[in-house]
Amino acid sequence: MSELHAQTVAQVRDTMLPPVPPPRRETGAIRWLRQNLFSGPLNIILTVLAIWLLWVALRDVVPWAWRGVWRASSLNECRAIRDQLYPEGTSAACWAVLTDRWRQLVFGFYPASQIWRPPLALVVFLLAVSPILFARLPRRLLWLTPAAPFLIFWLLWGGTIWGPVAAALGFALGVAAFLALSRARYPILALLAGILLPVLYWSFVAGPLARALAGVAPLALPAVASKDFGGFTLSIIIGLSGISLSLPLGVLLALGRRSDMLIISKASVFYIEVIRGVPLIVWLFVAQLILNYFLPRGTNFDLMLRVIIMVTLFAAAYIAEVIRGGLAALPRGQYEAGDALGLTYWQAMQLIVLPQALKISIPGIVNSFIGLFKDTTLVSIIAMFDPIRMASSIRATTAWGGIYWELYVFIGLTFWVFCFSMSRYSIWLERRLERGHR
Amino acid sequence: MASPGPRRAATLDDVRSRGTLNCGVNPGLTGFAAPDASGRWEGFDVDLCRAVAATIFGDPEKVTFTPLSGETRFTALAAGEVDMLARNSTWTFSRDTDLKLDFVAVNYYDGQGFLVPKALGVASAKDLDGATVCIQTGTTTELNLADFFRVNNITYEPVPIQNDAEGRQQYLAGACDTYTTDASGLAAARSTFETPDDHIILPEIISKEPLGPAVRHGDNQWADLVRWTFYALVAAEELGITQANVEEMAAAAGDNPEINRLLGTEDELGPMMGADISPQWAVNVIKAVGNYGEVFDRHLGPNTPLGIERGLNAQWTQGGLMYAPPFR
């Protein structure tokens, strides 16, 4: 058998060798470590340095956080408990300030019996934007989107539901009039009616209508004043309304800036440069103080609303520039293709230009949004109770005076969770929209 | 801003028609103003707002507290965002004249002091030669400090800090030998230390910081109302009227005509301040917050963690500066 073979071909095995495991230094964790951490003298030095730095940073922080006291009613009680549990001189976090005051950090002074409302409003918001953010969800969800702002307003501020309903009807009226007259081929009349009808309706009909409906069916939540909003609720309301309102405004401004029409383009440039040229904090001061000089005596224009408007206007200028970058990155051929197909300006923008430009701009847009969300802490300067201001007023009580790190760690981590999820979503969206050209 | 605020006169009418007093307070200063766990504002300045509301409405809860930061407080008052300011603001010449404010009274006499560790072995601020001093930059305290050391011909090394929280941290970390700011602030800082008894506030007070409620220029009736509400608190302490005994004393005219006039059992002082002010206004005020001494003891006094002595804020009969003009 094998002899025959051996004569013709000298060195052929007829059986496979059993597979030998790879050398130990080339597998698993060791290989990973060698490749990634210890691949050369420089990397060895850097790795050792990094490990040492991590050790220095964490050797006190982790035990401090781990030993933390969770149940106490004041800082001194915290210290007493710590002295009981650990030998003298041991440091331990006093997380009890969070268990005692978490409600204020999260909801501000929102009435305790009503704190289910802000989270529910957030859920409504997420449901309303989910069909926009995730294309795979059923399109029928889109019907919720236009109704959501009114529902959210009602949930947050309370009062009778008929006020927001009556206001929403105005928009419906405008859209209906516009569509009906456009179909009858009166474009200018359609535009006029679409704007004038709702305005007339809001000024004369909406108020009495809401009152009448409230009389018939008194469906109301307890009202909550704007000054009672605080903590992360305030940051999220300002941040999310700024984000969702500034995007459409920014798109319009970007298109305006690139428009061939002189007045529109100059007006857009003027707006963008003025808003961008002044720090946000100044605009917030304007919102809080200067606007009052121009408003008629006795008007009480809600401070929170003023801040939301200012933040939106501010963010829109930045978004406009980001999107303009996207528009500029598109090859000219794309615009010309639109013209060659005989599309109108708006059709070409909607079908060809904007989808591509917005895709290019995603990282920049999300970057602006994350910045905007973090900038909401600036409202503490005008004494609104955002988490930072809330932390310092918690510190001003005699029970919790002198507590710093625990509050800041909590605030920082919460902000990080929000911003990190935004950035993850942006990466996911970029991958999904990747079409192979850069 | 050259143009005056849009709401100049008739503040009282505005407040009445609004149904609530807008009072500007500190967003968080231990003992003076801070929201508690349930969001209710508490503090020495806050009680003055409640007292004014009690004068106007007979109800101390008809106040909307507007927290104001140090940068925006005076502009907010000028713009009409608030009707009065009870926000530990120092009464100075330029604020009174140039900023067009009216400081109607002084409700707390403060002054700049020094906090040192006992271990430093210093008994007087004049022994601080060569010391490192933690000091907030850009404040009057910085200028006062320079003046004090120059006058006493001693030297110091400043350690600049941004805010009170940083100051406490730096001081505790040993970055400076002494921390200087208003004495009430030092007391508040000391109360939060792990071992408050290891630190002392030196006896020297090197500046005058009269803190008081402020209103806009140009509405004297409103200024009078705030001023005399405050003096009602001071007079009540002098006359021995307290939260506990005010009802009893107001039930019928007593022997002391000053008490009778204050409590409205003789003469009607209230309506002189404004048409709709009740003759029993002072009764409402004292029922709501107590007299000046009670307010002080509740928020700042020796039985609170702050443990501030009355000092300059004692009645004039006790060697202090609290002196209410006669109610007549």
Side-chain angles (χ1 to χ4, degrees), chain A residues 75 79 82 101 104 109 227 285 288-290 292-293 297-299 306 381 383 385 389 393 395-398 401-402 404-405, chain B residues 5 9 14 27-30 35-37 39 41 64 67-69 72 75-76 79 81 165 168-169 192-194 305-306:
Chain A
L75 183 57
R79 285 167 176 161
R82 180 200 61 193
R101 293 295 192 104
Q104 282 187 354
F109 307 125
K227 70 178 174 63
F285 279 134
Q288 190 198 14
L289 302 169
I290 315 294
N292 247 23
Y293 283 98
R297 180 181 166 142
T299 43
R306 283 185 260 166
I381 303 280
F385 281 89
R389 172 63 83 190
S393 74
R395 243 192 335 263
T397 55
T398 41
Y404 302 94
W405 296 106
Chain B
D14 286 356
L29 181 65
T30 314
D36 70 3
W41 285 86
T64 307
L68 294 171
S69 56
T72 59
T75 330
E81 191 96 330
R168 295 180 191 187
Q169 288 271 8
T192 70
F193 292 169
E194 271 207 79
L306 266 69

Short mmCIF file of all heavy atoms in Angstrom, two decimals, chain A residues 75 79 82 101 104 109 227 285 288-290 292-293 297-299 306 381 383 385 389 393 395-398 401-402 404-405, chain B residues 5 9 14 27-30 35-37 39 41 64 67-69 72 75-76 79 81 165 168-169 192-194 305-306:
data_model
loop_
_atom_site.label_atom_id
_atom_site.label_comp_id
_atom_site.label_asym_id
_atom_site.label_seq_id
_atom_site.Cartn_x
_atom_site.Cartn_y
_atom_site.Cartn_z
N LEU A 75 -25.46 66.80 55.20
CA LEU A 75 -24.04 66.48 55.00
C LEU A 75 -23.41 66.00 56.31
O LEU A 75 -22.62 65.06 56.33
CB LEU A 75 -23.31 67.71 54.46
CG LEU A 75 -21.84 67.52 54.14
CD1 LEU A 75 -21.66 66.40 53.14
CD2 LEU A 75 -21.26 68.80 53.58
N ARG A 79 -21.47 62.53 57.19
CA ARG A 79 -20.13 62.42 57.77
C ARG A 79 -20.16 61.53 59.00
O ARG A 79 -19.24 60.72 59.21
CB ARG A 79 -19.62 63.81 58.15
CG ARG A 79 -19.20 64.61 56.93
CD ARG A 79 -18.99 66.07 57.28
NE ARG A 79 -18.49 66.81 56.13
CZ ARG A 79 -18.56 68.14 56.03
NH1 ARG A 79 -19.11 68.85 56.99
NH2 ARG A 79 -18.08 68.75 54.95
N ARG A 82 -20.36 57.95 57.88
CA ARG A 82 -19.08 57.54 57.33
C ARG A 82 -18.09 57.24 58.46
O ARG A 82 -17.38 56.23 58.42
CB ARG A 82 -18.53 58.67 56.46
CG ARG A 82 -17.19 58.35 55.84
CD ARG A 82 -16.49 59.61 55.41
NE ARG A 82 -16.26 60.47 56.58
CZ ARG A 82 -15.90 61.74 56.50
NH1 ARG A 82 -15.76 62.31 55.32
NH2 ARG A 82 -15.70 62.45 57.58
N ARG A 101 -32.51 64.99 47.03
CA ARG A 101 -32.91 66.10 46.17
C ARG A 101 -33.02 65.74 44.69
O ARG A 101 -33.05 66.62 43.86
CB ARG A 101 -31.89 67.24 46.33
CG ARG A 101 -31.87 67.89 47.70
CD ARG A 101 -33.17 68.59 47.98
NE ARG A 101 -33.10 69.44 49.15
CZ ARG A 101 -33.01 70.77 49.10
NH1 ARG A 101 -32.98 71.37 47.97
NH2 ARG A 101 -32.98 71.46 50.22
N GLN A 104 -35.60 67.56 42.60
CA GLN A 104 -35.33 68.93 42.16
C GLN A 104 -34.33 68.98 41.03
O GLN A 104 -34.44 69.80 40.13
CB GLN A 104 -34.83 69.77 43.33
CG GLN A 104 -35.94 70.18 44.24
CD GLN A 104 -35.52 71.13 45.30
OE1 GLN A 104 -34.34 71.42 45.46
NE2 GLN A 104 -36.47 71.61 46.06
N PHE A 109 -39.01 72.58 40.39
CA PHE A 109 -40.08 72.74 41.40
C PHE A 109 -41.42 72.26 40.87
O PHE A 109 -42.47 72.69 41.33
CB PHE A 109 -40.16 74.19 41.85
CG PHE A 109 -38.84 74.73 42.31
CD1 PHE A 109 -38.29 75.88 41.76
CD2 PHE A 109 -38.14 74.07 43.31
CE1 PHE A 109 -37.07 76.36 42.19
CE2 PHE A 109 -36.92 74.54 43.74
CZ PHE A 109 -36.38 75.68 43.19
N LYS A 227 -42.08 79.21 36.02
CA LYS A 227 -41.03 79.36 37.02
C LYS A 227 -40.82 78.09 37.83
O LYS A 227 -39.82 77.95 38.53
CB LYS A 227 -41.34 80.54 37.95
CG LYS A 227 -42.49 80.29 38.88
CD LYS A 227 -42.70 81.48 39.81
CE LYS A 227 -43.95 81.32 40.66
NZ LYS A 227 -43.92 80.18 41.58
N PHE A 285 -29.27 87.58 27.97
CA PHE A 285 -29.52 88.81 28.72
C PHE A 285 -30.57 89.67 28.01
O PHE A 285 -31.45 90.24 28.64
CB PHE A 285 -28.23 89.62 28.87
CG PHE A 285 -27.34 89.14 29.98
CD1 PHE A 285 -25.99 88.97 29.80
CD2 PHE A 285 -27.88 88.86 31.21
CE1 PHE A 285 -25.19 88.52 30.82
CE2 PHE A 285 -27.08 88.40 32.25
CZ PHE A 285 -25.72 88.23 32.04
N GLN A 288 -33.87 88.26 28.72
CA GLN A 288 -34.37 88.47 30.08
C GLN A 288 -34.70 89.93 30.35
O GLN A 288 -35.70 90.23 30.99
CB GLN A 288 -33.36 87.98 31.11
CG GLN A 288 -33.95 87.96 32.51
CD GLN A 288 -32.91 87.91 33.61
OE1 GLN A 288 -31.74 88.13 33.39
NE2 GLN A 288 -33.36 87.61 34.81
N LEU A 289 -33.83 90.84 29.90
CA LEU A 289 -33.94 92.21 30.38
C LEU A 289 -34.35 93.22 29.33
O LEU A 289 -35.26 94.01 29.53
CB LEU A 289 -32.59 92.63 30.97
CG LEU A 289 -32.13 91.72 32.10
CD1 LEU A 289 -30.71 92.02 32.47
CD2 LEU A 289 -33.04 91.91 33.30
N ILE A 290 -33.67 93.21 28.18
CA ILE A 290 -33.87 94.30 27.23
C ILE A 290 -35.25 94.23 26.59
O ILE A 290 -35.88 95.25 26.36
CB ILE A 290 -32.77 94.29 26.16
CG1 ILE A 290 -31.40 94.08 26.80
CG2 ILE A 290 -32.78 95.56 25.36
CD1 ILE A 290 -30.93 95.19 27.67
N ASN A 292 -37.96 93.56 27.78
CA ASN A 292 -38.97 94.19 28.62
C ASN A 292 -39.16 95.68 28.31
O ASN A 292 -40.23 96.22 28.49
CB ASN A 292 -38.58 94.04 30.08
CG ASN A 292 -39.53 93.15 30.81
OD1 ASN A 292 -40.19 92.33 30.18
ND2 ASN A 292 -39.63 93.30 32.11
N TYR A 293 -38.06 96.32 27.87
CA TYR A 293 -38.16 97.75 27.56
C TYR A 293 -39.04 98.00 26.35
O TYR A 293 -39.59 99.06 26.19
CB TYR A 293 -36.76 98.32 27.29
CG TYR A 293 -35.95 98.57 28.54
CD1 TYR A 293 -35.01 97.66 28.97
CD2 TYR A 293 -36.14 99.73 29.28
CE1 TYR A 293 -34.26 97.88 30.11
CE2 TYR A 293 -35.39 99.96 30.43
CZ TYR A 293 -34.46 99.03 30.83
OH TYR A 293 -33.73 99.26 31.96
N ARG A 297 -46.44 98.02 28.57
CA ARG A 297 -46.54 97.89 30.00
C ARG A 297 -47.60 96.85 30.38
O ARG A 297 -48.68 96.80 29.82
CB ARG A 297 -46.94 99.25 30.58
CG ARG A 297 -47.09 99.25 32.06
CD ARG A 297 -47.51 100.62 32.52
NE ARG A 297 -47.97 100.51 33.89
CZ ARG A 297 -47.73 101.42 34.82
NH1 ARG A 297 -47.10 102.50 34.51
NH2 ARG A 297 -48.17 101.24 36.04
N GLY A 298 -47.25 96.01 31.32
CA GLY A 298 -48.22 95.05 31.81
C GLY A 298 -48.20 93.72 31.08
O GLY A 298 -48.77 92.76 31.55
N THR A 299 -47.54 93.65 29.92
CA THR A 299 -47.46 92.33 29.27
C THR A 299 -46.51 91.48 30.06
O THR A 299 -45.47 91.94 30.52
CB THR A 299 -46.90 92.43 27.83
OG1 THR A 299 -45.81 93.31 27.84
CG2 THR A 299 -47.95 92.85 26.85
N ARG A 306 -39.31 83.20 26.01
CA ARG A 306 -38.32 84.12 25.45
C ARG A 306 -36.99 83.40 25.26
O ARG A 306 -36.33 83.57 24.23
CB ARG A 306 -38.11 85.30 26.41
CG ARG A 306 -39.22 86.31 26.36
CD ARG A 306 -38.88 87.50 27.25
NE ARG A 306 -39.56 87.44 28.53
CZ ARG A 306 -39.23 88.18 29.57
NH1 ARG A 306 -38.22 89.01 29.51
NH2 ARG A 306 -39.90 88.08 30.69
N ILE A 381 -27.13 81.68 34.28
CA ILE A 381 -26.68 83.07 34.47
C ILE A 381 -27.87 84.00 34.62
O ILE A 381 -27.81 84.99 35.35
CB ILE A 381 -25.83 83.51 33.26
CG1 ILE A 381 -24.67 82.57 33.06
CG2 ILE A 381 -25.35 84.94 33.42
CD1 ILE A 381 -23.51 82.79 33.95
N ALA A 383 -30.45 83.15 36.02
CA ALA A 383 -31.13 82.64 37.21
C ALA A 383 -32.33 81.77 36.88
O ALA A 383 -33.32 81.80 37.59
CB ALA A 383 -31.52 83.77 38.14
N PHE A 385 -33.49 77.82 36.80
CA PHE A 385 -32.96 76.73 37.60
C PHE A 385 -32.59 75.51 36.77
O PHE A 385 -33.21 74.47 36.89
CB PHE A 385 -33.92 76.38 38.74
CG PHE A 385 -33.81 77.34 39.87
CD1 PHE A 385 -34.59 78.48 39.89
CD2 PHE A 385 -32.91 77.13 40.88
CE1 PHE A 385 -34.47 79.39 40.92
CE2 PHE A 385 -32.77 78.03 41.90
CZ PHE A 385 -33.56 79.16 41.93
N ARG A 389 -27.52 75.58 38.29
CA ARG A 389 -28.06 76.55 39.25
C ARG A 389 -28.76 75.81 40.40
O ARG A 389 -28.67 76.21 41.56
CB ARG A 389 -29.01 77.50 38.51
CG ARG A 389 -29.78 78.42 39.39
CD ARG A 389 -28.89 79.37 40.14
NE ARG A 389 -28.52 80.52 39.34
CZ ARG A 389 -27.58 81.40 39.71
NH1 ARG A 389 -26.95 81.24 40.84
NH2 ARG A 389 -27.29 82.41 38.93
N SER A 393 -28.15 76.10 44.42
CA SER A 393 -29.15 76.47 45.44
C SER A 393 -29.36 75.34 46.44
O SER A 393 -29.71 75.58 47.58
CB SER A 393 -30.45 76.93 44.80
OG SER A 393 -31.14 75.85 44.30
N ARG A 395 -26.86 73.65 47.47
CA ARG A 395 -25.73 73.88 48.36
C ARG A 395 -25.98 75.04 49.31
O ARG A 395 -25.34 75.15 50.34
CB ARG A 395 -24.50 74.19 47.51
CG ARG A 395 -23.43 73.20 47.66
CD ARG A 395 -22.12 73.60 47.09
NE ARG A 395 -22.20 74.57 46.04
CZ ARG A 395 -22.17 74.29 44.75
NH1 ARG A 395 -22.10 73.04 44.36
NH2 ARG A 395 -22.22 75.22 43.85
N ALA A 396 -26.89 75.93 48.95
CA ALA A 396 -27.14 77.10 49.79
C ALA A 396 -27.99 76.76 51.00
O ALA A 396 -28.12 77.57 51.90
CB ALA A 396 -27.82 78.20 48.98
N THR A 397 -28.61 75.58 51.03
CA THR A 397 -29.36 75.21 52.23
C THR A 397 -28.38 74.74 53.28
O THR A 397 -27.30 74.24 52.96
CB THR A 397 -30.36 74.09 51.92
OG1 THR A 397 -29.63 73.00 51.36
CG2 THR A 397 -31.41 74.55 50.94
N THR A 398 -28.77 74.89 54.55
CA THR A 398 -27.82 74.54 55.60
C THR A 398 -27.57 73.03 55.63
O THR A 398 -26.50 72.61 56.05
CB THR A 398 -28.34 75.01 56.97
OG1 THR A 398 -29.73 74.75 57.03
CG2 THR A 398 -28.09 76.47 57.16
N GLY A 401 -24.91 72.41 52.51
CA GLY A 401 -23.81 73.32 52.21
C GLY A 401 -22.49 72.57 52.20
O GLY A 401 -22.26 71.68 53.02
N GLY A 402 -21.61 72.91 51.26
CA GLY A 402 -20.29 72.30 51.25
C GLY A 402 -20.20 70.99 50.48
O GLY A 402 -19.21 70.29 50.57
N TYR A 404 -19.96 69.27 46.80
CA TYR A 404 -19.67 69.70 45.43
C TYR A 404 -19.67 68.53 44.47
O TYR A 404 -20.46 68.46 43.56
CB TYR A 404 -18.30 70.38 45.35
CG TYR A 404 -18.18 71.56 46.26
CD1 TYR A 404 -17.65 71.43 47.53
CD2 TYR A 404 -18.63 72.81 45.85
CE1 TYR A 404 -17.56 72.52 48.37
CE2 TYR A 404 -18.53 73.90 46.68
CZ TYR A 404 -18.00 73.75 47.94
OH TYR A 404 -17.92 74.82 48.77
N TRP A 405 -18.73 67.60 44.67
CA TRP A 405 -18.43 66.60 43.66
C TRP A 405 -19.63 65.73 43.32
O TRP A 405 -19.88 65.42 42.16
CB TRP A 405 -17.26 65.73 44.12
CG TRP A 405 -16.04 66.54 44.26
CD1 TRP A 405 -15.44 66.94 45.42
CD2 TRP A 405 -15.28 67.11 43.19
NE1 TRP A 405 -14.35 67.73 45.13
CE2 TRP A 405 -14.23 67.84 43.78
CE3 TRP A 405 -15.38 67.07 41.81
CZ2 TRP A 405 -13.29 68.53 43.02
CZ3 TRP A 405 -14.45 67.74 41.06
CH2 TRP A 405 -13.41 68.46 41.67
N GLY B 5 -36.86 102.93 32.97
CA GLY B 5 -37.73 101.77 32.81
C GLY B 5 -39.12 102.20 32.41
O GLY B 5 -39.53 103.33 32.64
N ALA B 9 -44.08 104.83 37.97
CA ALA B 9 -44.87 105.12 39.16
C ALA B 9 -45.93 104.05 39.37
O ALA B 9 -46.05 103.11 38.59
CB ALA B 9 -45.51 106.49 39.02
N ASP B 14 -49.87 98.37 40.28
CA ASP B 14 -49.49 97.22 39.45
C ASP B 14 -49.52 95.93 40.25
O ASP B 14 -50.05 94.91 39.81
CB ASP B 14 -48.07 97.41 38.88
CG ASP B 14 -48.05 98.44 37.77
OD1 ASP B 14 -49.14 98.92 37.41
OD2 ASP B 14 -46.95 98.77 37.29
N PRO B 27 -30.49 83.59 44.20
CA PRO B 27 -30.86 82.22 43.84
C PRO B 27 -30.33 81.18 44.83
O PRO B 27 -30.72 80.03 44.74
CB PRO B 27 -30.26 82.02 42.45
CG PRO B 27 -29.35 83.14 42.22
CD PRO B 27 -29.64 84.23 43.19
N GLY B 28 -29.48 81.55 45.71
CA GLY B 28 -29.02 80.59 46.69
C GLY B 28 -27.91 81.16 47.54
O GLY B 28 -26.77 81.23 47.12
N LEU B 29 -28.25 81.64 48.75
CA LEU B 29 -27.24 82.13 49.68
C LEU B 29 -27.68 81.65 51.05
O LEU B 29 -28.76 81.99 51.52
CB LEU B 29 -27.15 83.66 49.63
CG LEU B 29 -26.11 84.26 50.56
CD1 LEU B 29 -24.71 83.84 50.16
CD2 LEU B 29 -26.20 85.77 50.57
N THR B 30 -26.82 80.86 51.68
CA THR B 30 -27.20 80.22 52.92
C THR B 30 -27.73 81.24 53.92
O THR B 30 -27.06 82.23 54.20
CB THR B 30 -25.99 79.49 53.52
OG1 THR B 30 -25.36 78.77 52.47
CG2 THR B 30 -26.39 78.55 54.63
N PRO B 35 -34.29 77.86 48.05
CA PRO B 35 -35.47 77.00 48.05
C PRO B 35 -35.19 75.73 48.86
O PRO B 35 -34.09 75.20 48.78
CB PRO B 35 -35.66 76.67 46.56
CG PRO B 35 -34.35 76.88 45.92
CD PRO B 35 -33.56 77.82 46.77
N ASP B 36 -36.17 75.29 49.65
CA ASP B 36 -35.95 74.07 50.43
C ASP B 36 -36.33 72.85 49.59
O ASP B 36 -36.60 72.97 48.39
CB ASP B 36 -36.71 74.12 51.75
CG ASP B 36 -38.21 74.03 51.55
OD1 ASP B 36 -38.65 73.87 50.40
OD2 ASP B 36 -38.94 74.14 52.55
N ALA B 37 -36.35 71.67 50.23
CA ALA B 37 -36.55 70.42 49.47
C ALA B 37 -37.87 70.42 48.71
O ALA B 37 -37.99 69.80 47.66
CB ALA B 37 -36.47 69.23 50.40
N GLY B 39 -39.24 73.12 47.46
CA GLY B 39 -39.28 74.23 46.52
C GLY B 39 -39.79 75.52 47.14
O GLY B 39 -39.93 76.52 46.44
N TRP B 41 -39.38 78.90 49.14
CA TRP B 41 -38.25 79.78 49.43
C TRP B 41 -38.20 80.09 50.90
O TRP B 41 -39.22 80.35 51.54
CB TRP B 41 -38.36 81.06 48.62
CG TRP B 41 -38.02 80.83 47.20
CD1 TRP B 41 -38.86 80.42 46.21
CD2 TRP B 41 -36.73 80.95 46.60
NE1 TRP B 41 -38.17 80.26 45.04
CE2 TRP B 41 -36.86 80.58 45.25
CE3 TRP B 41 -35.46 81.31 47.08
CZ2 TRP B 41 -35.78 80.57 44.37
CZ3 TRP B 41 -34.40 81.31 46.20
CH2 TRP B 41 -34.56 80.94 44.87
N THR B 64 -44.25 86.25 44.24
CA THR B 64 -43.56 85.45 43.24
C THR B 64 -42.09 85.75 43.40
O THR B 64 -41.66 86.89 43.21
CB THR B 64 -44.02 85.82 41.83
OG1 THR B 64 -45.43 85.75 41.79
CG2 THR B 64 -43.44 84.88 40.80
N PRO B 67 -35.54 84.62 41.28
CA PRO B 67 -34.12 84.55 41.61
C PRO B 67 -33.31 85.36 40.61
O PRO B 67 -33.53 85.26 39.40
CB PRO B 67 -33.80 83.06 41.49
CG PRO B 67 -34.89 82.47 40.69
CD PRO B 67 -36.08 83.35 40.82
N LEU B 68 -32.40 86.19 41.12
CA LEU B 68 -31.61 87.05 40.23
C LEU B 68 -30.13 86.86 40.53
O LEU B 68 -29.73 86.82 41.69
CB LEU B 68 -31.99 88.51 40.44
CG LEU B 68 -33.40 88.89 40.03
CD1 LEU B 68 -33.71 90.31 40.48
CD2 LEU B 68 -33.57 88.79 38.53
N SER B 69 -29.33 86.76 39.48
CA SER B 69 -27.90 86.63 39.68
C SER B 69 -27.30 88.00 39.96
O SER B 69 -27.94 89.03 39.73
CB SER B 69 -27.26 86.00 38.45
OG SER B 69 -27.57 86.76 37.31
N THR B 72 -27.42 90.49 37.00
CA THR B 72 -28.66 90.98 36.40
C THR B 72 -29.57 91.67 37.41
O THR B 72 -30.61 92.19 37.02
CB THR B 72 -29.44 89.83 35.76
OG1 THR B 72 -29.73 88.86 36.75
CG2 THR B 72 -28.66 89.19 34.64
N THR B 75 -30.44 95.54 36.80
CA THR B 75 -31.11 95.74 35.51
C THR B 75 -32.52 95.17 35.58
O THR B 75 -33.46 95.75 35.03
CB THR B 75 -30.34 95.02 34.40
OG1 THR B 75 -28.97 95.00 34.73
CG2 THR B 75 -30.54 95.72 33.08
N ALA B 76 -32.68 94.03 36.24
CA ALA B 76 -34.01 93.43 36.34
C ALA B 76 -34.96 94.34 37.10
O ALA B 76 -36.13 94.46 36.75
CB ALA B 76 -33.91 92.07 37.02
N ALA B 79 -35.77 97.28 34.81
CA ALA B 79 -36.63 96.91 33.69
C ALA B 79 -38.04 96.56 34.13
O ALA B 79 -38.90 96.31 33.30
CB ALA B 79 -36.02 95.73 32.93
N GLU B 81 -38.87 93.91 35.87
CA GLU B 81 -39.04 92.46 36.03
C GLU B 81 -39.46 92.13 37.46
O GLU B 81 -40.19 91.18 37.70
CB GLU B 81 -37.72 91.77 35.68
CG GLU B 81 -37.80 90.28 35.55
CD GLU B 81 -38.00 89.84 34.11
OE1 GLU B 81 -38.60 90.58 33.32
OE2 GLU B 81 -37.55 88.77 33.78
N ALA B 165 -17.68 79.11 46.22
CA ALA B 165 -17.46 77.66 46.30
C ALA B 165 -15.98 77.35 46.12
O ALA B 165 -15.40 76.55 46.86
CB ALA B 165 -18.29 76.96 45.23
N ARG B 168 -13.96 78.34 49.27
CA ARG B 168 -14.01 77.37 50.38
C ARG B 168 -13.09 76.19 50.09
O ARG B 168 -12.37 75.72 50.98
CB ARG B 168 -15.43 76.86 50.54
CG ARG B 168 -16.40 77.93 50.95
CD ARG B 168 -17.78 77.32 51.09
NE ARG B 168 -18.79 78.35 51.24
CZ ARG B 168 -20.06 78.09 51.52
NH1 ARG B 168 -20.45 76.85 51.69
NH2 ARG B 168 -20.92 79.07 51.63
N GLN B 169 -13.13 75.71 48.85
CA GLN B 169 -12.30 74.56 48.48
C GLN B 169 -10.82 74.88 48.65
O GLN B 169 -10.06 74.11 49.23
CB GLN B 169 -12.56 74.19 47.01
CG GLN B 169 -13.90 73.55 46.76
CD GLN B 169 -13.81 72.04 46.90
OE1 GLN B 169 -12.80 71.53 47.31
NE2 GLN B 169 -14.89 71.35 46.58
N THR B 192 -20.25 74.78 57.04
CA THR B 192 -20.27 73.58 56.21
C THR B 192 -19.00 72.75 56.34
O THR B 192 -18.90 71.69 55.75
CB THR B 192 -20.42 73.97 54.72
OG1 THR B 192 -19.21 74.59 54.29
CG2 THR B 192 -21.59 74.87 54.49
N PHE B 193 -18.02 73.25 57.09
CA PHE B 193 -16.77 72.50 57.22
C PHE B 193 -16.99 71.25 58.08
O PHE B 193 -17.90 71.21 58.90
CB PHE B 193 -15.68 73.37 57.87
CG PHE B 193 -15.23 74.51 56.99
CD1 PHE B 193 -14.42 75.51 57.49
CD2 PHE B 193 -15.60 74.57 55.66
CE1 PHE B 193 -14.00 76.55 56.70
CE2 PHE B 193 -15.19 75.61 54.85
CZ PHE B 193 -14.39 76.61 55.38
N GLU B 194 -16.10 70.28 57.89
CA GLU B 194 -16.22 69.05 58.68
C GLU B 194 -16.00 69.32 60.15
O GLU B 194 -16.67 68.78 61.00
CB GLU B 194 -15.20 68.03 58.19
CG GLU B 194 -15.74 67.17 57.08
CD GLU B 194 -15.06 65.83 57.04
OE1 GLU B 194 -15.41 64.96 57.85
OE2 GLU B 194 -14.18 65.68 56.21
N PRO B 305 -27.21 76.63 62.05
CA PRO B 305 -25.84 76.22 61.73
C PRO B 305 -24.93 77.40 61.44
O PRO B 305 -23.72 77.30 61.60
CB PRO B 305 -26.03 75.35 60.48
CG PRO B 305 -27.43 74.88 60.53
CD PRO B 305 -28.20 75.96 61.20
N LEU B 306 -25.48 78.54 60.99
CA LEU B 306 -24.64 79.69 60.72
C LEU B 306 -24.09 80.30 61.99
O LEU B 306 -22.96 80.76 62.03
CB LEU B 306 -25.42 80.76 59.93
CG LEU B 306 -25.28 80.72 58.43
CD1 LEU B 306 -25.96 79.49 57.87
CD2 LEU B 306 -25.85 81.96 57.81
#
